[in-house]
Amino acid sequence: MSIRRVALLTAGGFAPCLSAAVGDLIERYTEVAPDVEIIAYQYGYHGLLTGNYIVIDAEARKNAGVLRSYGGSPIGNSRVKLTNAKNLVERGLVAEGVNPLEFAAEQLRKDGVDVLHTIGGDDTNTTAADLAAYLHENNYELTVVGLPKTIDNDVVPIRQSLGAWTAAEEGARFAFNVIGEHRSNPRMLIVHECMGRNCGYLTAETARRYHELLKTKQWAPSLGLTRERWDVHAVFVPEAKLDIAAEAERLKAIMDEQGNVNIFLSEGAGVPEIIAEMEAAGQEVQRDPFGHVKLDTINPGQWFAKQFAELIGAEKVMVQKSGYYSRAAAANAEDLDLIKQMCDLAVECAQRGESGVIGQDEENNDELTAIAFPRIAGAKPFDITQPWFAALMTEIGQSVEPADTPAEH
């Protein structure tokens, strides 16, 4: 396939892979196809709709490797859903009566894009596939090769999404400092709230990494420095049944014995109960353009803290969120290696005109391949029966059963 112009686009929430992936794609094209022009749409689909892009010039190509040392996205993200015309009209991105999907597709044609690389979650990548399908129907061939970005690690059927390992590692570091507060007051309750709307992966992996981190530390029990006080005492994820009364009884015993309790909480755990409570009180539940509840407006961590504080007799409560600290971090060594593998394959697929989302296909022996867009979906639940998670729960003394129904937020 003859490629003249490639476009890059990052979208959705941040993850610790965006900068590195942009840098790796630029370097790989410069290495294997230096004559191909590269542009980058600013702020994701927002930039595509407004025709706002930069050309990756010689200086940018020379400095692309610098991006591996940074988090965030150098080309910018936004939450733009191309099928939500009403929202886009309200934001001034398209005119009334315009089909945003067709408008964006025509912008790609106008900009002369042959290959579009999208770095995002399931919505980002499947939307790009819809753009390609529209252009194909209108005699313009566009190859779309996506990279899976999400700290939730919840893209079907991809085993490991970019950025999730780093986010968990950063969350564990965050927790180590926050949980250092546990002796700042008698009977202290600390809730570490992690991101994860429908999937508990990040919370579970963060708790596991933190728990393992403690095993590397030296302790001084006679001085009051005990691993038990620093450890994880409960992990709550959307996929597990939550019996507040039973957990409160277990955690109260821990509080009575050592004077503090540390909870790792997925922001999506308990959300249906919180929404029901708010609606019963006549409060509005705010939602984003994708229809998702704005979790920062309902504050799951505070709700859980309130429920448990009274039941376990906490005198002081601290709720801390590691999400923004974790998701904008620079990629760690594990992620950098996976990013490199995926970006190299993404360029290879683009050169032969093969569209899809690059990932380790769980339905095909974890083979790293371009997965067809119709097979891509979001909200993959975290499997709480995995041996490593079961082992963690056993070590901290918490019993876990599957939730009765999947979370719907």
Side-chain angles (χ1 to χ4, degrees):
M1 174 184 175
S2 177
I3 303 174
R4 294 163 299 170
R5 179 176 262 195
V6 168
L8 312 180
L9 177 156
T10 61
F14 278 172
C17 64
L18 298 175
S19 290
V22 169
D24 278 8
L25 286 172
I26 293 171
E27 285 196 335
R28 188 58 176 166
Y29 272 108
T30 301
E31 180 183 356
V32 302
D35 293 334
V36 170
E37 186 175 22
I38 306 172
I39 66 171
Y41 286 109
Q42 303 292 281
Y43 305 107
Y45 287 118
H46 189 289
L48 175 54
L49 289 172
T50 57
N52 179 16
Y53 66 80
I54 59 171
V55 175
I56 306 302
D57 59 15
E59 183 181 359
R61 290 173 186 258
K62 178 182 176 182
N63 293 322
V66 173
L67 297 180
R68 296 191 189 94
S69 301
Y70 287 85
S73 170
I75 60 178
N77 285 33
S78 64
R79 291 193 181 277
V80 170
K81 188 173 180 65
L82 294 184
T83 54
N84 190 341
K86 181 176 181 294
N87 176 261
L88 297 179
V89 170
E90 291 172 351
R91 295 165 69 177
L93 294 176
V94 296
E96 186 75 47
V98 170
N99 181 329
L101 194 65
E102 293 179 7
F103 186 85
E106 289 301 329
Q107 185 66 49
L108 287 164
R109 186 207 301 264
K110 176 183 173 184
D111 294 338
V113 174
D114 301 306
V115 174
L116 176 63
H117 285 291
T118 52
I119 310 168
D122 59 297
D123 278 328
T124 298
N125 287 309
T126 53
T127 296
D130 290 339
L131 292 171
Y134 170 83
L135 288 168
H136 175 73
E137 292 167 3
N138 289 271
N139 302 314
Y140 187 99
E141 295 307 319
L142 174 72
T143 299
V144 178
V145 185
L147 295 171
K149 171 273 325 170
T150 170
I151 59 176
D152 294 340
N153 195 32
D154 65 346
V155 178
V156 177
I158 296 172
R159 181 170 65 83
Q160 190 66 36
S161 296
L162 299 177
W165 281 327
T166 303
E169 181 178 290
E170 293 293 330
R173 291 175 182 169
F174 178 95
F176 190 74
N177 283 2
V178 168
I179 291 174
E181 292 277 343
H182 70 272
R183 297 289 268 177
S184 65
N185 197 83
R187 302 190 73 82
M188 181 80 173
L189 170 61
I190 296 177
V191 178
H192 174 198
E193 181 181 329
C194 300
M195 287 184 168
R197 177 179 299 277
N198 296 310
C199 179
Y201 168 85
L202 180 61
T203 302
E205 180 65 9
T206 301
R208 183 189 73 81
R209 291 189 180 225
Y210 176 75
H211 182 68
E212 293 301 313
L213 173 65
L214 297 185
K215 294 179 181 179
T216 69
K217 302 295 182 180
Q218 185 175 353
W219 305 99
S222 62
L223 291 172
L225 183 63
T226 69
R227 177 178 152 189
E228 289 75 20
R229 287 183 176 134
W230 284 78
D231 215 340
V232 182
H233 301 128
V235 180
F236 299 132
V237 296
E239 295 85 356
K241 184 181 295 185
L242 174 61
D243 185 335
I244 290 182
E247 273 300 288
E249 183 178 354
R250 182 180 72 86
L251 295 175
K252 184 176 185 302
I254 294 173
M255 179 71 84
D256 291 344
E257 179 181 352
Q258 63 187 35
N260 71 290
V261 165
N262 307 316
I263 295 174
F264 280 57
L265 168 72
S266 171
E267 64 180 355
V271 167
E273 290 84 354
I274 301 173
I275 292 173
E277 185 178 291
M278 290 179 65
E279 291 178 339
Q283 297 175 265
E284 179 187 0
V285 178
Q286 297 182 38
R287 298 178 183 272
D288 67 18
F290 291 85
H292 303 317
V293 171
K294 292 185 176 180
L295 293 174
D296 58 338
T297 66
I298 67 172
N299 243 321
Q302 294 291 347
W303 187 86
F304 268 85
K306 181 181 178 182
Q307 303 300 312
F308 279 105
E310 183 176 349
L311 293 172
I312 70 176
E315 289 187 12
K316 184 178 179 181
V317 178
M318 175 186 287
V319 179
Q320 292 290 317
K321 304 179 182 183
S322 61
Y324 291 107
Y325 174 87
S326 299
R327 78 176 199 169
N332 67 8
E334 289 173 287
D335 267 316
L336 285 174
D337 182 59
L338 187 59
I339 291 165
K340 174 64 174 169
Q341 293 178 50
M342 287 194 179
C343 286
D344 284 357
L345 181 56
V347 173
E348 181 183 324
C349 289
Q351 289 182 300
R352 62 173 177 254
E354 181 182 358
S355 292
V357 178
I358 305 299
Q360 299 149 317
D361 189 347
E362 290 185 306
E363 298 168 7
N364 190 23
N365 298 315
D366 289 340
E367 180 185 353
L368 186 62
T369 186
I371 300 169
F373 285 105
R375 296 180 55 211
I376 299 296
K380 178 177 71 174
F382 171 62
D383 180 6
I384 64 172
T385 68
Q386 292 179 84
W388 67 262
F389 184 67
L392 173 64
M393 294 296 93
T394 298
E395 288 188 31
I396 69 174
Q398 180 181 350
S399 61
V400 180
E401 296 180 28
D404 295 327
T405 56
E408 290 291 344
H409 308 150

